[in-house]
Amino acid sequence: MTRRVNTRTAAVQVWQAYLNNRATRLRDGRFLVHGRHAIARALECRWPLETLVYRLGAPEPSPWAREVLDSSGVPSVGLVPEVMAELAEPVGGVPELVAVAVTRRMELDDFAPGTPVEPVPVVVIDRPTSPARLGALIRSAVAFGAGGVIVTGTGADHYDPQSVRASGGALFAVPVLRAPGPAAVSAFRTRQQARGIPTRIVGSDDHGGIAIDELDFDGATVLVVGDDSESLAPTWRQVCDELVCIPTDGTLGAPSAAAVALYEIARQRRALR
């Protein structure tokens, strides 16, 4: 079903709020998806999409956009360019297609990734302040086969459009969970161990610990990184089984630190095979 909208409606106002109003996204359980790759990944992963909003008029929709509109089965709404512009990201022109997606929430108590035979790493990021960096970390997690990402504290919203875009669609391919802090992650480790999966919490901390390539990443790893800090908070250091550092001449942000650590985990597992 397609509708054509030539003026700014109440629905458009609500969609516009999803761009920068976290409370509205949380209240409605909805968020916006921009970009060809992210929308394609959402469809590939069968993520629930409520509406496809497309630009009316010239230029005509690209073959990709037309195929999505014709074959996805998602209801669509056409907006004139001046109204469609209100759903654009801060950087970039008028989008040809924006998806209105439904949020998903999984409780950490129900999260049980991997098996004793095939353990998988999980990434924890503590109080991320930047949605873009959070999205980039999610992208790294998916690239290296992590079973999930846990965001602790009152950090950035992973459904923020900047995070969705920076994830390159990876957000739709891996569970992203919220947890209050170290105690909840420690309890998750205990549950995984009760499932027969040897699990350690390993903190990335440039002010302590051994070089990352000197640690044997056997079993399952819960990798904890700070948002953009050289040192983990004391509460995290208390629950970590190991602390590792990534030898560099400077400080790595969370996405880069996670990518390096996840690569080392993947490298060691390839060597074991």
Side-chain angles (χ1 to χ4, degrees):
M1 179 183 68
T2 298
R3 293 189 289 120
R4 299 171 66 90
V5 178
N6 296 318
T7 60
R8 193 171 190 267
T9 65
V12 174
Q13 294 179 43
V14 172
W15 295 336
Q16 185 186 34
Y18 297 157
L19 279 172
N20 48 33
N21 193 315
R22 181 174 184 169
T24 303
R25 292 194 297 266
L26 181 63
R27 180 198 69 195
D28 294 353
R30 303 290 187 276
F31 65 104
L32 298 185
V33 185
H34 297 82
R36 176 180 299 194
H37 191 70
I39 293 173
R41 193 70 179 274
L43 290 168
E44 176 189 336
C45 295
R46 300 185 181 277
W47 192 276
L49 301 181
E50 185 175 72
T51 308
L52 291 171
V53 187
Y54 67 95
R55 183 193 61 232
L56 293 170
E60 290 294 317
S62 66
W64 167 80
R66 177 50 57 193
E67 181 181 0
V68 169
L69 290 168
D70 291 344
S71 65
S72 67
V74 179
S76 59
V77 174
L79 300 181
V80 294
E82 56 268 31
V83 178
M84 190 70 174
E86 298 183 14
L87 303 183
E89 296 176 284
V91 178
V94 178
E96 68 169 350
L97 193 63
V98 175
V100 182
V102 179
T103 62
R104 283 177 172 173
R105 182 177 178 86
M106 176 185 289
E107 298 298 331
L108 189 56
D109 287 349
D110 301 323
F111 183 46
T115 68
V117 177
E118 290 291 339
V120 295
V122 171
V123 183
V124 178
I125 179 168
D126 184 39
R127 294 170 294 176
T129 58
S130 165
R133 284 203 299 271
L134 175 57
L137 180 140
I138 294 169
R139 187 170 189 166
S140 294
V142 171
F144 288 106
V149 175
I150 302 172
V151 184
T152 58
T154 55
D157 180 15
H158 54 286
Y159 290 126
D160 186 293
Q162 294 182 57
S163 178
V164 179
R165 167 77 78 167
S167 80
L171 171 71
F172 306 112
V174 69
V176 180
L177 307 98
R178 314 292 300 203
V185 175
S186 179
F188 164 71
R189 172 189 54 194
T190 300
R191 289 193 297 273
Q192 288 290 87
Q193 291 171 338
R195 293 179 60 217
I197 304 175
T199 304
R200 292 182 299 175
I201 299 178
V202 177
S204 175
D205 190 330
D206 291 344
H207 287 175
I210 64 174
I212 191 167
D213 56 350
E214 295 179 4
L215 180 66
D216 290 331
F217 285 98
D218 52 347
T221 300
V222 178
L223 175 69
V224 181
V225 296
D227 178 40
D228 199 19
S229 174
E230 298 179 357
S231 180
L232 289 176
T235 51
W236 276 112
R237 295 168 69 90
Q238 292 170 8
V239 301
C240 286
D241 300 296
E242 302 283 354
L243 292 174
V244 296
C245 65
I246 301 172
T248 65
D249 292 333
T251 301
L252 294 176
S256 298
V260 170
L262 289 169
Y263 171 78
E264 177 61 21
I265 294 171
R267 185 194 67 80
Q268 290 190 19
R269 290 186 174 177
R270 286 198 304 272
L272 288 173
R273 294 194 190 101

